[in-house]
Each structure stands twice: as structure tokens, then as C-alpha cells.
């Protein structure tokens, strides 16, 4: 386990340097990119979130959490395929390719949390509620890693998975109340079984509205996350011995 | 002599893309699905041999004879489905010196990345860092990007990182697949050959795959000749190499 983490950290660090290498604004993009997106939604506030209390904060939490999920899964889906050369030429734990990609996105997520913090300060909101984001983030990461292990291993055998996931994550982006009210009635309401909706709602309830989250929601999302992680990890372990031969 | 590797009745089968049937409908469905017909390939058939502790073994044979597949099966990179492989001891497989190196990273960052991929901690790499740089004679280029180095310099730093990590990890068994240096100026060649000699001539078990028959003869005490996935002969390096050369000429 220690070795896997060690290798993953080294690879994540290198990927992080490579991602910013040659950019004039470097790591500043991690702040600017979400800020641009936030500004767009704030400009059309009247259409999307007129009746939402503390809309900028509501938006920043929704966008930050969904972006984290999307960035990790979009990258891990190709984590094994893109590293076929290393996989077939080195004795290396296969988990490191998923973990290093995850850790690289965690680095950028830290910048987004700084934005969250700045928004709380700017709107004179208490910041200590943000501490509750730590346990939420841990369970959220377990869920995301489960999905990532599943996607990275299946995409070795099914090339179309990348296309399918692209469509699915767009549907999820629209179905999850990120920029519109969670009270809005939708034609296709998948939110009862949508872990992203649960994670975002729990975070908003605590950080913005200072309310205890719905216990039923917390239980459901925790069980869902553990099941998805175990399932994803189990599938990954089952198929990983044949990665080198199938790439 | 105690065996550290035992290979029994080993065969391997791959499914590779084959020619597509010429019928119109079949072509059409292949275009739509993007998936062609697969055919079976047997790169190894019924291989049996043992490697004793501390033995230096060489594999020779034409391209496609199954040498690399065999090493990848021993190292566990490929799955063994037919036959049995027993390995006693820690093992490292090396098939390329540039494994993991990134063109747009600096030499320094690359040293930490490749060291990390080999499983070394940052603290351990820091200890090796000066030796790696000194050995490659690239003290003035540590902050340069890897692609900014000449190909000779790239090979020198790749070799230096790999050999120093290997020395540090100190595995019981080393599987070297076409990695012995045949590059650089005379000074570096001598230096790298000395380094290789140090690594190989210890009490370690080493298997070398190389098309350079002089290298095989120099380092190995026994040679296995593979042809078309089958073990043709094994024995004294000089005798086997002579027979192999005669076979190729014929």
C-alpha cells in the first residue's frame, strides 16, 4: 500500500508539473477557470437562480464538486489505456495509474476550495463550517475512486465507453441541481438515486445554510459510496492481470 | 544448484487482429463496429527450463521467436494460463531504459519521476541524485527539459537513472531485455560496461535477451536458443551461438 501511494504521488507530481509547464499563467488557471465559469452563471442569475438564497455560494459549491467528479472520471477513464507502454514494460502496481490521476485532480481541487473560502469571506459568512467539507470530501473521494476503478478497467475492453461516459456525464451535469434550484420539478428526476445530488446538497446545507444534513441522505450516500467503491475495485482487481496483453 | 526460476510446459496464446473477409457485408459490419476478426497466435509452445541461483542465462533467437514474451511471463506482466512458472526471490524486468521519462519535464524532475516509478521514496532518490547526475556527466543540464538534450545525453541519463535505481533495489533476479548499452562515446561506453559488469557479476541471477551475440557470450554461462516459439537448444554459449549462426545462414 505504501509503495502504491509513493509511486502515485511521484506520478501525480510529474503530471501536475507537466499540466502547467509552459503556461504563462501556470497554476493561476486553476483559479481563473472556475471563476470564469462562475461569472457566466452569475450573469444569467435571473434565469437560473433568481429565487435561491446565497446564490453565488450555492453555485460555487455545486460547480466545484461536480467539476472535481468530472475531471477525475474524464481522466481516469483513459488512465490505463494511455499508460499501455509502462504497463507492458514494467512490473508496476496497476492501481497507481488511477490513483495518480485522482491525486493530480485533488491538487487542483485545493485551489477550488480556496475559491470557496474566498466567497465565504467575501459574503461575510462564517468559514468554520467549511471544516465539515473534510469528511464529505473523504466519502466523496471513495465514491469517485470506485467509479474511476470501474471506468478505467472496462474501457480497456470496450472502446466505446469513453463516448458513452461523455454523454452520461453531460446528462448528469444537467440532471444535478448545480446552477438551478434543487426544488425545481424535472421531467426526469434521477436525484433520489444520484449520489452527486446528495453530496452537493449535504455540503450546501452545512456550509451555506448551517443546517444539519438529512440523516437519511447521509446514510444512503455513504452506503452507496462504499458499495460503488467495492464494486469498482473488485472489477479492477479481476481484470487487471490481463491489461498488458489487451493494450 | 538451487533453482530460482522453474518453467514447466509453458505455452502462450495471443489473439491478434487478422485479415478481414472480403465480402461486402462483412466489410460493412467491421466499419460500423470498428472491430475486426481476431486470429490466434502462439508465440511460445511447450517451454521447459530451470535457472539456478546466481546463474547468468542468455536468450537468443530471431525477432518474434518469443524471447520477450517469455521474460514478460516470468515477470508476471503477462498471465500464465498454460503451464507453470515458479519464481523464488525478488525480480526486476527491464525492457527499455526510457520507461516513464517525460520529454517536457526537466532532467531533475525526470530523475524523481522515474525513481518514484521504480518504487523509491523521495528521500531515497535524494540520496542517489548526485550519483545519478555525476555518472551521466550532465551536472550543467539538470534544469534543462529532457527534449532539449541530445539523444546521446538522453540515453546517458536514462541509463544512469535505471542502473542506480537497480543497484539500490538490489533484486535477487534481473531480467534484462535488450537494455545493455551500445551507445555513447568510448568513455561512457567503458563506464557503463563497468557498471553493468558490477551489477551482473555479483551473486545475482540474471537473464539477458540480446541480439548482440558478443554481449551474450561475454556475460552468460548458458544460452537458450528460441525459434518460432519453441526451445531449439540450450547449453554452452559458444556452441549454441555457432549453431544459431549456421542455422541463420542456411
Amino acid at each position: 500500500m505504501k509503495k502504491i501511494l509513493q509511486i502515485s504521488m511521484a506520478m501525480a507530481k510529474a503530471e501536475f508539473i507537466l499540466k502547467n509547464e509552459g503556461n504563462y499563467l501556470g497554476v493561476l488557471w486553476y483559479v481563473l477557470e472556475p471563476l470564469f465559469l462562475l461569472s457566466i452563471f452569475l450573469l444569467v442569475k435571473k434565469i437560473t437562480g433568481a429565487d435561491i438564497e446565497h446564490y453565488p455560494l450555492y453555485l460555487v459549491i455545486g460547480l466545484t464538486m461536480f467539476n472535481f467528479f468530472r475531471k477525475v472520471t474524464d481522466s481516469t477513464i483513459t488512465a490505463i489505456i494511455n499508460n499501455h507502454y509502462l504497463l507492458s514494460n514494467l512490473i508496476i502496481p496497476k492501481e497507481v495509474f488511477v490513483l495518480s490521476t485522482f491525486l493530480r485532480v485533488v491538487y487542483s481541487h485545493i485551489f477550488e476550495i480556496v475559491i470557496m473560502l474566498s466567497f465565504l469571506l467575501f459574503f461575510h459568512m462564517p468559514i468554520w463550517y467549511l471544516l465539515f467539507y473534510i469528511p464529505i470530501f473523504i466519502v466523496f473521494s471513495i465514491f469517485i475512486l470506485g467509479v474511476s476503478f470501474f471506468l478505467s478497467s472496462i474501457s480497456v475492453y470496450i472502446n466505446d465507453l469513453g463516448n458513452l461516459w461523455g454523454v452520461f456525464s453531460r446528462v448528469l451535469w444537467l440532471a444535478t441541481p448545480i446552477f438551478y434550484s434543487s426544488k425545481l420539478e424535472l421531467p426526469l428526476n434521477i436525484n433520489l438515486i444520484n449520489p452527486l445530488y446528495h453530496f452537493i446538497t449535504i455540503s450546501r446545507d452545512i456550509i451555506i445554510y448551517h443546517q444539519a444534513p438529512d440523516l437519511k441522505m447521509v446514510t444512503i450516500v455513504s452506503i452507496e459510496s462504499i458499495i460503488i467503491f467495492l464494486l469498482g475495485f473488485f472489477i479492477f482487481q479481476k481484470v487487471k492481470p490481463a491489461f498488458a496483453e489487451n493494450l | 544448484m538451487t533453482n530460482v526460476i522453474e518453467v514447466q510446459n509453458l505455452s502462450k496464446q495471443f489473439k491478434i487482429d487478422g485479415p478481414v473477409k472480403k465480402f461486402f457485408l462483412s466489410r460493412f459490419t467491421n466499419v460500423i463496429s470498428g472491430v475486426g476478426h481476431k486470429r490466434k497466435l502462439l508465440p511460445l509452445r511447450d517451454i521447459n527450463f530451470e535457472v539456478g541461483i546466481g546463474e547468468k542465462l542468455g536468450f537468443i533467437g530471431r525477432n518474434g521467436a518469443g524471447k520477450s514474451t517469455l521474460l514478460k511471463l516470468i515477470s508476471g506482466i503477462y498471465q500464465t494460463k498454460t503451464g507453470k512458472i515458479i519464481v523464488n526471490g525478488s525480480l526486476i524486468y527491464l525492457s527499455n531504459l526510457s520507461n516513464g521519462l517525460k520529454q517536457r519535464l526537466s532532467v531533475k524532475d525526470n530523475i524523481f519521476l522515474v525513481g518514484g516509478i521504480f518504487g523509491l521514496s523521495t528521500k531515497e532518490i535524494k540520496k542517489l541524485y548526485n550519483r545519478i547526475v555525476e555518472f551521466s556527466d550532465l551536472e550543467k543540464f539538470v534544469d534543462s527539459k529532457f527534449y532539449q538534450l541530445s539523444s546521446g545525453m538522453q540515453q546517458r541519463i536514462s541509463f544512469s537513472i535505471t542502473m542506480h535505481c537497480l543497484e539500490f533495489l538490489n533484486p535477487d533476479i534481473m531480467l534484462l531485455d535488450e537494455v545493455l548499452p551500445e551507445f555513447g562515446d568510448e568513455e561512457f561506453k567503458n563506464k557503463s560496461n563497468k557498471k553493468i559488469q558490477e551489477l551482473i557479476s555479483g551473486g545475482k541471477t540474471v537473464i539477458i535477451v540480446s541480439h548482440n551475440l558478443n554481449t551474450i557470450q561475454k556475460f552468460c554461462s548458458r544460452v537458450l536458443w528460441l525459434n518460432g516459439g519453441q526451445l531449439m537448444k540450450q547449453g554452452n554459449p559458444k556452441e549454441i551461438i555457432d549453431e544459431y549462426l549456421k542455422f541463420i545462414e542456411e
Side-chain angles (χ1 to χ4, degrees):
Chain A
M1 189 63 197
K2 193 186 160 198
K3 194 182 168 193
I4 291 178
L5 273 175
Q6 225 164 266
I7 303 174
S8 306
M9 292 289 276
M11 288 172 72
K13 197 179 162 195
E15 278 180 47
F16 189 76
I17 298 170
L18 276 175
K19 195 121 181 122
N20 304 306
E21 194 272 323
N23 284 354
Y24 285 111
L25 296 178
V27 290
L28 258 183
W29 278 115
Y30 290 105
V31 179
L32 290 176
E33 201 189 317
L35 277 181
F36 282 139
L37 197 59
L38 267 167
S39 332
I40 294 166
F41 280 107
L42 286 175
L43 282 174
V44 291
K45 184 190 164 188
K46 277 186 184 161
I47 311 163
T48 55
D51 58 337
I52 300 170
E53 201 187 344
H54 303 301
Y55 186 64
L57 288 163
Y58 180 93
L59 196 58
V60 81
I61 291 181
L63 279 176
T64 300
M65 293 185 76
F66 193 89
N67 266 355
F68 180 52
F69 170 78
R70 189 186 50 79
K71 279 184 189 168
V72 175
T73 51
D74 281 359
S75 310
T76 47
I77 201 163
T78 53
I80 299 293
I81 300 169
N82 289 349
N83 285 296
H84 64 94
Y85 192 75
L86 277 181
L87 269 160
S88 51
N89 287 296
L90 267 184
I91 306 169
I92 187 165
K94 320 291 188 273
E95 290 80 3
V96 300
F97 300 107
V98 176
L99 277 177
S100 63
T101 311
F102 169 78
L103 287 172
R104 196 243 303 150
V105 186
V106 169
Y107 289 154
S108 61
H109 188 55
I110 292 168
F111 290 93
E112 291 172 334
I113 294 170
V114 172
I115 296 177
M116 248 196 244
L117 182 75
S118 320
F119 267 61
L120 285 170
L121 287 168
F122 185 78
F123 290 102
H124 305 290
M125 302 277 280
I127 52 167
W128 71 271
Y129 285 96
L130 200 57
L131 286 175
F132 285 100
Y133 187 64
I134 297 168
I136 299 171
F137 174 76
I138 293 170
V139 185
F140 194 32
S141 298
I142 292 172
F143 162 71
I144 294 175
L145 278 172
V147 177
S148 299
F149 277 122
F150 171 78
L151 291 175
S152 60
S153 49
I154 299 302
S155 62
V156 173
Y157 302 92
I158 305 167
N159 272 347
D160 312 53
L161 193 65
N163 307 59
L164 201 66
W165 186 251
V167 176
F168 182 74
S169 59
R170 275 186 189 87
V171 172
L172 211 56
W173 155 257
L174 289 171
T176 312
I178 294 164
F179 54 89
Y180 57 83
S181 169
S182 53
K183 287 165 194 137
L184 198 74
E185 288 204 9
L186 295 167
L188 177 71
N189 195 352
I190 58 158
N191 286 330
L192 280 174
I193 51 156
N194 176 5
L196 283 164
Y197 165 73
H198 295 320
F199 279 117
I200 292 172
T201 306
I202 292 167
S203 306
R204 280 170 177 163
D205 282 349
I206 300 175
I207 300 166
I208 311 173
Y209 305 115
H210 312 145
Q211 289 169 1
D214 182 359
L215 208 63
K216 197 177 144 196
M217 199 185 265
V218 174
T219 317
I220 291 174
V221 82
S222 304
I223 295 171
E224 261 178 347
S225 301
I226 293 168
I227 292 174
I228 287 172
F229 177 81
L230 292 175
L231 207 68
F233 193 65
F234 174 76
I235 293 169
F236 189 87
Q237 296 302 318
K238 273 276 170 205
V239 297
K240 74 172 185 182
F243 282 162
E245 293 167 37
N246 287 289
L247 288 168
Chain B
M1 194 187 277
T2 321
N3 292 327
V4 282
I5 298 173
E6 283 180 32
V7 176
Q8 297 161 3
N9 310 318
L10 182 71
S11 296
K12 184 69 190 166
Q13 182 188 294
F14 286 131
K15 279 182 186 164
I16 60 164
D17 289 317
V20 180
K21 283 179 194 166
K22 298 291 177 193
F23 299 116
F24 173 74
L25 195 62
S26 130
R27 267 193 203 177
F28 183 71
T29 50
N30 278 332
V31 168
I32 295 292
S33 72
V35 179
H37 293 282
K38 299 270 183 191
R39 68 183 173 92
K40 286 176 188 172
L41 179 81
L42 279 166
L44 287 174
R45 272 172 282 180
D46 201 27
I47 304 286
N48 288 283
F49 68 93
E50 295 94 35
V51 187
I53 191 162
E55 197 176 358
K56 321 290 176 219
L57 190 68
F59 283 171
I60 57 169
R62 288 169 166 170
N63 284 331
K67 307 181 294 294
S68 295
T69 306
L70 185 50
L71 288 199
K72 285 183 183 181
L73 281 163
I74 296 170
S75 60
I77 291 174
Y78 288 161
Q79 280 179 295
T80 306
K81 284 187 176 165
T82 315
K84 201 175 173 186
I85 298 172
I86 302 165
V87 177
N88 296 313
S90 58
L91 179 148
I92 276 197
Y93 169 76
L94 280 182
S95 77
N96 195 315
L97 293 175
S98 59
N99 270 333
L101 288 163
K102 302 278 181 194
Q103 292 289 327
R104 299 194 71 83
L105 275 186
S106 68
V107 170
K108 187 178 179 181
D109 289 332
N110 264 310
I111 294 174
F112 279 89
L113 171 64
V114 178
I117 289 174
F118 271 106
L120 270 66
S121 69
T122 312
K123 215 175 158 186
E124 289 164 340
I125 303 165
K126 274 182 186 165
K127 272 187 200 166
L128 292 178
Y129 182 78
N130 284 339
R131 272 192 274 161
I132 293 174
V133 177
E134 268 170 40
F135 188 88
S136 58
D137 283 334
L138 291 173
E139 288 94 335
K140 288 178 191 163
F141 296 92
V142 284
D143 294 313
S144 308
K145 298 276 186 290
F146 196 71
Y147 73 86
Q148 291 164 340
L149 305 179
S150 70
S151 56
M153 286 171 166
Q154 290 183 353
Q155 284 171 325
R156 264 155 50 189
I157 190 74
S158 317
F159 177 82
S160 181
I161 301 173
T162 309
M163 289 304 137
H164 283 88
C165 288
L166 205 62
E167 200 175 37
F168 184 86
L169 291 166
N170 195 19
D172 302 320
I173 307 159
M174 293 194 288
L175 309 181
L176 309 177
D177 190 353
E178 296 283 2
V179 290
L180 297 185
E182 277 148 34
F183 52 80
D185 49 36
E186 282 311 307
E187 192 193 342
F188 190 77
K189 248 184 214 170
N190 292 339
K191 201 155 80 164
S192 51
N193 269 323
K194 208 177 142 196
K195 191 88 188 156
I196 285 278
Q197 191 99 40
E198 276 169 24
L199 272 172
I200 292 179
S201 57
K204 291 188 190 346
T205 308
V206 185
I207 301 184
I208 302 169
V209 165
S210 181
H211 285 288
N212 186 334
L213 301 174
N214 289 332
T215 305
I216 294 278
Q217 204 163 335
K218 184 176 162 192
F219 290 116
C220 301
S221 52
R222 183 160 60 107
V223 166
L224 265 76
W225 167 20
L226 285 169
N227 189 48
Q230 283 176 311
L231 184 58
M232 293 286 277
K233 267 186 182 170
Q234 57 175 309
N236 175 282
K238 196 177 177 321
E239 286 168 20
I240 302 292
I241 288 171
D242 285 345
E243 272 191 66
Y244 169 62
L245 288 173
K246 248 185 238 167
F247 178 81
I248 289 178
E249 275 168 27
E250 280 165 22

